[in-house]
């Protein structure tokens, strides 16, 4: 083997390790940014307005996140919002209560590699404007159904394996967890980021 061939042979494992590390670092950054986006929306919401939803045979069913006491996988997360059209600052009425306008819906759509793309869309809803909003499972399910049918949702991230959440209404606490796929050639791995958000409204 020539000296150049020997150097290339020695460098290949190092370069391969660097590529894998860069891939993992890039995926961590994407997942951190995605988790922060969801946390920000939850902070502007109400614990009673966070729902875990699933779609089966075109029928969507939702349960409040407070139904669960530990992080539970979901295919869609509906978060009540008081932003106008799901964008901009939180809006308030004259008594200081949020003007709830609908839901920000996050959902997973299957990719060809076994992972998912995480999408986001806003869907309007008629929700009680009381200090403790009365939000029905059917309100969230209707919003999720409309989001799933949207033709131009916002693409949040790719290579997401699972989205998990739960809520503790006594502490206004919502737990969130994202698990993502890292790929480097034929090898693959998993990364998980998780954090808490405290619904302030």
């Amino acid at each position: 083997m020539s000296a150049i061939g020997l150097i290339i042979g020695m460098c290949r494992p190092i370069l391969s390790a660097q590529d894998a590390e860069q891939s993992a670092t890039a995926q961590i950054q994407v997942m951190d940014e995605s988790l922060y986006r969801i946390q920000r929306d939850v902070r502007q919401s109400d614990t009673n307005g966070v729902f875990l939803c699933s779609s089966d045979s075109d029928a969507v069913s939702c349960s409040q996140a407070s139904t669960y006491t530990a992080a539970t996988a979901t295919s869609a997360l509906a978060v009540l919002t008081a932003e106008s059209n799901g964008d901009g600052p939180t809006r308030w009425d004259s008594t200081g209560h949020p003007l709830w306008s609908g839901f920000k819906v996050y959902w997973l759509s299957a990719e060809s590699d076994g992972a998912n793309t995480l999408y986001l869309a806003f869907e309007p809803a008629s929700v009680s404007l009381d200090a403790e909003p009365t939000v029905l499972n059917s309100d969230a399910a209707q919003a999720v159904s409309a989001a799933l049918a949207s033709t131009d949702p916002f693409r949040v991230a790719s290579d997401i394996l699972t989205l998990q959440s739960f809520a503790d209404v006594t502490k206004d606490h919502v737990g969130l967890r994202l698990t993502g796929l890292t790929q480097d050639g034929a090898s693959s791995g998993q990364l998980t980021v998780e954090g808490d958000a405290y619904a302030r409204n």
Side-chain angles (χ1 to χ4, degrees):
M1 178 182 288
S2 68
I4 293 176
L6 179 60
I7 291 171
I8 292 173
M10 292 173 62
C11 289
R12 187 171 290 127
I14 296 171
L15 295 174
S16 179
Q18 285 180 333
D19 288 344
E21 184 176 344
Q22 288 174 347
S23 174
T25 301
Q27 184 66 358
I28 287 174
Q29 183 174 355
V30 167
M31 291 171 59
D32 277 343
E33 291 172 355
S34 302
L35 181 67
Y36 175 78
R37 176 185 287 273
I38 301 171
Q39 287 176 310
R40 181 191 62 196
D41 289 337
V42 168
R43 282 194 295 270
Q44 300 302 319
S45 188
D46 184 282
T47 323
N48 293 310
V50 180
F51 291 80
L52 277 63
C53 305
S54 61
S55 177
D56 182 24
S57 300
D58 296 327
V60 174
S61 60
C62 296
S63 299
Q64 287 184 313
S66 57
T67 305
Y68 308 95
T69 57
T72 302
T74 183
S75 58
L77 185 72
V79 181
L80 188 65
T81 183
E83 296 176 355
S84 178
N85 295 316
D87 190 29
T90 298
R91 300 175 308 132
W92 310 88
D93 67 15
S94 59
T95 64
H97 295 153
L99 288 168
W100 304 115
S101 58
F103 292 90
K104 287 190 173 182
V105 180
Y106 291 87
W107 74 95
L108 299 175
S109 179
E111 299 172 353
S112 59
D113 61 0
N116 305 281
T117 298
L118 179 64
Y119 287 106
L120 166 65
F122 166 78
E123 293 298 336
S126 297
V127 178
S128 161
L129 302 181
D130 297 334
E132 294 295 331
T134 302
V135 191
L136 303 177
N137 292 352
S138 57
D139 294 328
Q142 186 175 13
V144 172
S145 293
L148 294 178
S150 60
T151 57
D152 189 28
F154 177 76
R155 181 179 171 276
V156 178
S158 59
D159 291 330
I160 302 298
L161 293 172
T162 61
L163 167 62
Q164 297 174 287
S165 186
F166 74 100
D168 182 347
V169 293
T170 64
K171 298 179 180 178
D172 293 329
H173 162 257
V174 177
L176 296 161
R177 179 184 297 160
L178 283 173
T179 300
L181 177 70
T182 60
Q183 294 179 307
D184 177 42
S187 61
S188 63
Q190 294 184 13
L191 290 168
T192 298
V193 295
E194 58 184 299
D196 300 323
Y198 292 87
R200 298 194 295 240
N201 298 316

